[in-house]
Amino acid sequence: MTTTEAKTKTRAKAGAGSVRKRGETFTAIWSFPDPAVEGRRIQRSKGGFRIQKEAQLYVNEQIGKNGTDAAQGPDAKLTVRNVVEQWLEERALAGKRASTLAGYRNTAEAWIFPKMGAVRVDALTTSAVNAWMTELGKTGSKKGGPLSPRSVQLAGVVLRLACKWAADPHGVNLVRRNPAAAATIPAAPKTIVDNIWSREDAAKFISYVTVDRLAALYLLGAARGMRRGEICGLKWDRVDLDAGHLFVLETRIVVGGTSIQTSTPKTAAGQRRVPLDPSLVAVLRAHRRRQLEERLAWGSAWTDSGYVFTMPDGNPVKPDHVSDRFTRLCKAAGVRVIRLHDLRHGVASFMLGAGISPGIVAAVLGHANPAVTLSVYGHSLPGGTDVAGEALSRALGIC
């Protein structure tokens, strides 16, 4: 069959519906009479089908509805919940990270669906979206109090993204317009990280934790700023103790509060080489010996998971267990209880405070851009604005 014949076959029934291949997927295309203008037809489409047959079945289904919601054109009885749910499904099919999808869904269920879920999209206005976000800021929390600007921003962004997808004339084309496109989504306040230990508290914790079974885990957090998911996802084949480095290539994260999934870092910069100085190498060697002793003790019941940090039976540690244990260790060490993730903030602040280049700090932490590092931790630079002001005065000949 020639290419032309294949296209003709794929586009059969062009007067009512057809299927077209776009990249690696197929798009269903159908049309129906415009109820407002006699003799005119309205065309709609839905993409993302992996198999041509599925797309054709969808076309047939839409054409066969005759006079139902599908034949009435976009917006017909579609609610905000309908649009957001379909968008979430499409994002899942597109391979969006499970943790990101869980965040989208939590945002929708907590702040979008309760007030906006039943609202018809064709009746939704920009002013109504703005009023909804204003109300969230006043009474959107679980207890009926103010919701943080960051949370209001997330809710607005999720609604806008879902409606933008639904209104794409070259995509699913479910709605005529994006009612959230012109809405005023509040800007979240600049993140200022200040919940970190002093150098004295950090040293005190490190001294105490060295005898803990998972000492190496917490030292990687305290001395290299690795994320919890990165540490929990670390395998021995990514560690080269002789060369003095490890590679962050996978993560183990909690999704939806209960499910643990293996994933990859969010950005390319997150996949990185982490240097290990002789002291960290020694700690990891001791950890490896302890793990081998546990393997011998458990015998055939031991699970060879390949992970660096495991339970005594060889199964990988659970991320929440790591956090809970960290809290207990903080209390036992007599230092202020902080989040495990705050160790990462401390590493960034200590390095910048020691005069290490923001570019190097960003590389160690896995930030995609040093600008991100500076925007969050810039206040930790030695001398800060005082040094900058003095240098400028000297340049101008003032002092």
Side-chain angles (χ1 to χ4, degrees), residues 80 108-119 132 135-136 139-140:
V80 168
E109 293 180 349
W111 304 314
I112 297 177
F113 294 162
K115 294 291 185 180
M116 303 287 281
V119 177
W132 161 69
E135 186 63 23
L136 277 181
T139 62

Side-chain angles (χ1 to χ4, degrees), residues 2 64 103-104 137 164 217 227 271 283 305 319 370 378 382 395:
T2 66
Y104 287 158
K164 179 182 179 180
L217 185 155
R227 300 175 178 90
Q271 299 185 21
V283 169
S305 64

Side-chain angles (χ1 to χ4, degrees), residues 40 45 91 140 147 168 182 189 207 249 261 266 315 320 330 347 352 365:
R40 187 171 75 178
S45 64
R91 291 287 78 201
L147 190 64
D168 182 0
S207 176
L249 297 176
Q261 297 187 13
K266 287 185 177 181
N315 284 303
D320 285 344
C330 288
V347 167
L352 287 172
L365 295 178

Side-chain angles (χ1 to χ4, degrees), residues 120-134:
R120 289 256 306 253
V121 176
D122 60 350
L124 190 59
T125 63
T126 299
S127 60
V129 174
N130 285 336
W132 161 69
M133 287 189 288
T134 299

Side-chain angles (χ1 to χ4, degrees), residues 228-250:
R228 182 180 75 170
E230 295 171 348
I231 298 174
C232 292
L234 184 64
K235 289 190 172 183
W236 282 113
D237 61 5
R238 306 300 190 191
V239 181
D240 189 335
L241 295 178
D242 292 330
H245 60 232
L246 62 83
F247 291 94
V248 175
L249 297 176
E250 298 93 13

Side-chain angles (χ1 to χ4, degrees), residues 33-372:
D34 187 340
V37 180
E38 185 177 356
R40 187 171 75 178
R41 298 184 69 81
I42 298 175
Q43 180 173 287
R44 296 290 169 250
S45 64
K46 177 178 174 62
F49 293 95
R50 305 296 176 90
I51 304 174
Q52 180 178 341
K53 185 177 180 180
E54 292 180 351
Q56 187 61 60
L57 288 173
Y58 188 83
V59 168
N60 296 342
E61 178 185 348
Q62 300 307 307
I63 295 173
K65 287 187 175 180
N66 289 327
T68 63
D69 293 345
Q72 295 174 24
D75 288 351
K77 297 184 180 179
L78 274 177
T79 65
V80 168
R81 178 184 284 272
N82 296 149
V83 166
V84 174
E85 291 283 8
Q86 291 186 53
W87 173 69
L88 288 172
E89 291 177 6
E90 188 278 337
R91 291 287 78 201
L93 289 174
K96 199 70 174 177
R97 285 170 56 93
S99 57
T100 302
L101 285 172
Y104 287 158
R105 177 162 290 283
N106 290 341
T107 296
E109 293 180 349
W111 304 314
I112 297 177
F113 294 162
K115 294 291 185 180
M116 303 287 281
V119 177
R120 289 256 306 253
V121 176
D122 60 350
L124 190 59
T125 63
T126 299
S127 60
V129 174
N130 285 336
W132 161 69
M133 287 189 288
T134 299
E135 186 63 23
L136 277 181
K138 295 178 180 178
T139 62
S141 71
K142 289 183 178 180
K143 296 182 179 181
L147 190 64
S148 72
R150 174 58 177 159
S151 296
V152 176
Q153 182 190 56
L154 284 173
V157 166
V158 168
L159 179 61
R160 177 179 285 176
L161 288 174
C163 290
K164 179 182 179 180
W165 167 81
D168 182 0
H170 303 295
V172 292
N173 205 20
L174 293 175
V175 298
R176 292 185 176 90
R177 60 186 177 80
N178 178 356
T184 304
I185 297 178
K190 181 180 178 181
T191 301
I192 299 295
V193 174
D194 55 8
N195 189 32
I196 60 176
W197 282 330
S198 64
R199 293 178 185 274
E200 291 73 23
D201 276 350
K204 186 176 181 180
F205 175 81
I206 290 172
S207 176
Y208 179 84
V209 82
T210 51
V211 297
D212 187 78
R213 179 180 171 277
L214 294 178
L217 185 155
Y218 296 111
L219 289 179
L220 284 178
R224 290 299 180 268
M226 290 176 64
R227 300 175 178 90
R228 182 180 75 170
E230 295 171 348
I231 298 174
C232 292
L234 184 64
K235 289 190 172 183
W236 282 113
D237 61 5
R238 306 300 190 191
V239 181
D240 189 335
L241 295 178
D242 292 330
H245 60 232
L246 62 83
F247 291 94
V248 175
L249 297 176
E250 298 93 13
T251 62
R252 290 185 75 244
I253 55 177
V254 178
V255 177
T258 55
S259 174
I260 300 175
Q261 297 187 13
T262 301
S263 185
T264 57
K266 287 185 177 181
T267 65
Q271 299 185 21
R272 64 196 188 278
R273 172 185 175 276
V274 177
L276 301 172
D277 56 57
S279 61
L280 284 177
V281 169
V283 169
L284 282 167
R285 288 192 189 281
H287 175 78
R288 180 63 168 158
R289 287 194 296 270
R290 183 184 298 111
Q291 189 180 70
L292 292 175
E293 291 170 358
E294 291 173 345
R295 179 173 185 165
L296 289 174
W298 279 76
S300 60
W302 198 81
T303 300
D304 188 6
S305 64
Y307 284 97
V308 174
F309 300 109
T310 62
M311 301 301 287
D313 64 357
N315 284 303
V317 291
K318 295 181 178 179
D320 285 344
H321 168 75
V322 170
S323 295
D324 293 341
R325 189 184 187 96
F326 176 70
T327 298
R328 293 195 297 270
L329 287 170
C330 288
K331 294 177 179 178
V335 297
R336 179 167 55 89
V337 175
I338 60 175
R339 300 175 307 157
L340 180 62
H341 193 76
D342 290 327
L343 290 179
R344 177 175 170 83
H345 298 323
V347 167
S349 297
F350 293 153
M351 283 196 293
L352 287 172
I356 297 175
S357 161
I360 298 298
V361 176
V364 171
L365 295 178
H367 286 165
N369 191 326
V372 174

